Amino acid sequence: MATEKHEWSGWRTAAEQALYGRGGFFRRPEGPAGHFRTSVHASPLFARAVAELLRRVDEALGHPAELALVDLGAGRGELLTRVLALAPGLPHDLDRRLRPYAVERAERPAGLDQRIAWLDAPPEGCTGLLFANEWLDNVPVDIAETDADGVPRRVEVDLAAGDGTERLGDPVDGEDAAWLTRWWPLAGAEPGLRAEIGHPREAAWARAVRSLRAGLAVAVDYGHERAARPPFGTLTGFREGREVRPVPDGSRDLTAHVAMDACAAAAGPGAGLMTQREALRALGLDSRRPPLALASTDPAGYVRALGAAGEAAELTDPAGLGAFTWLHHPVEVPHDVLRP
């Protein structure tokens, strides 16, 4: 009788290959937008808010000769394309001075605006705005789970099974154990509790912030803080618009929420956290319905304003996209750039 084959791997290694390896999810021709909607895809108002933030950063920097907009985890360049379309309306000749960079590990999409530089890592020494929308949640991490004795062990997934089958491996040690102790304590907890070991994300974010010579770095993601960690973790999959079982086979997104307070601390002092609802309102998004009187004086304008209010409401919904966390880290600019 044939022996059943297994190929056990930690989730960090498995997800790295499934997302970014040959044939990985983020290298598929349809791109992320073929499987799920981010705020970028939900409404052009999101790009308007980013353009307003870019204007504020430019103002804080004194209108440098060259202003970078670095889109980290750029998908197929959708956000940069929309901001470039808005740039001619920005003051101080910003359209001419703007240098857009898309940072993505997939191949450059056909037909992308030639002004957009396509890179696989953030450019070093830029001045401007670095914006990472739903990027940190796709930086792969290992997972720990407490065993029957309350000992945190590394969760391993069977690559040969192809169905997400897991087992508990060796006890967590070294840097991983130290991170758990500081940011997501599990030792001695009841069996079955989980944590996503976030230090690879902290390192990635710290590198991104350091790539700026001056400006503002922003990461937008579903996240949590130490006082309210999810007890069973958040690892999941997405495919064709539906949440599915996390299986590292390259056919689906693999994502886990971000320990945002840990990432904030990793990049040094000055970082702040706010909800997307707070951030977008500070950048001028208004979800209030237009006055009914407008329907009589300007029916077409009323319909447009009503549609925009609905889109703004979706982006700021506290039970949906508005619950995202914005981690903002100023570099040589005032801390109030993202305030009303």
Side-chain angles (χ1 to χ4, degrees), residues 44-257:
L45 293 178
F46 191 77
R48 286 187 178 276
V50 173
E52 166 60 16
L53 183 57
L54 183 68
R55 183 198 66 77
R56 294 186 187 187
V57 170
D58 182 52
E59 188 76 28
L61 290 168
H63 316 298
E66 186 170 296
L67 187 76
L69 174 57
V70 182
D71 186 3
L72 186 48
R76 296 300 178 264
E78 298 93 337
L79 177 61
L80 288 175
T81 299
R82 286 181 169 177
V83 173
L84 280 172
L86 296 168
L90 296 175
H92 301 288
D93 203 17
L94 193 82
D95 185 33
R96 180 187 59 80
R97 295 181 289 112
L98 185 59
R99 295 294 179 267
Y101 298 90
V103 181
E104 184 57 74
R105 292 167 70 174
E107 296 299 316
R108 182 188 182 97
L112 187 68
D113 192 312
Q114 289 302 310
R115 291 173 291 176
I116 299 175
W118 193 264
L119 308 173
D120 62 3
E124 294 292 332
C126 282
T127 296
L129 174 63
L130 182 145
F131 200 84
N133 187 60
E134 294 197 50
W135 170 67
L136 281 172
D137 67 297
N138 290 127
V139 175
V141 294
D142 274 319
I143 298 173
E145 181 178 319
T146 48
D147 64 14
D149 298 317
V151 176
R153 292 182 176 272
R154 197 174 310 278
V155 176
E156 297 178 341
V157 59
D158 189 353
L159 302 181
D163 60 2
T165 297
E166 295 178 335
R167 73 174 186 184
L168 295 187
D170 293 333
V172 175
D173 59 6
E175 182 181 14
D176 291 348
W179 188 90
L180 286 177
T181 298
R182 181 179 181 189
W183 292 111
W184 200 331
L186 282 183
E190 62 185 88
L193 297 189
R194 283 193 167 204
E196 286 122 15
I197 305 171
H199 63 78
R201 293 170 170 177
E202 296 167 28
W205 180 242
R207 286 194 300 271
V209 173
R210 287 197 302 269
S211 73
L212 280 180
R213 181 168 67 245
L216 182 70
V218 178
V220 183
D221 240 308
Y222 276 124
H224 44 71
E225 298 183 49
R226 196 179 191 277
R229 303 285 189 220
F232 303 106
T234 60
L235 177 67
T236 191
F238 282 94
R239 182 173 60 194
E240 298 175 354
R242 295 184 299 111
E243 187 171 5
V244 295
R245 181 181 174 91
V247 178
D249 60 0
S251 73
R252 66 203 70 196
D253 184 24
L254 297 172
T255 175
H257 296 187

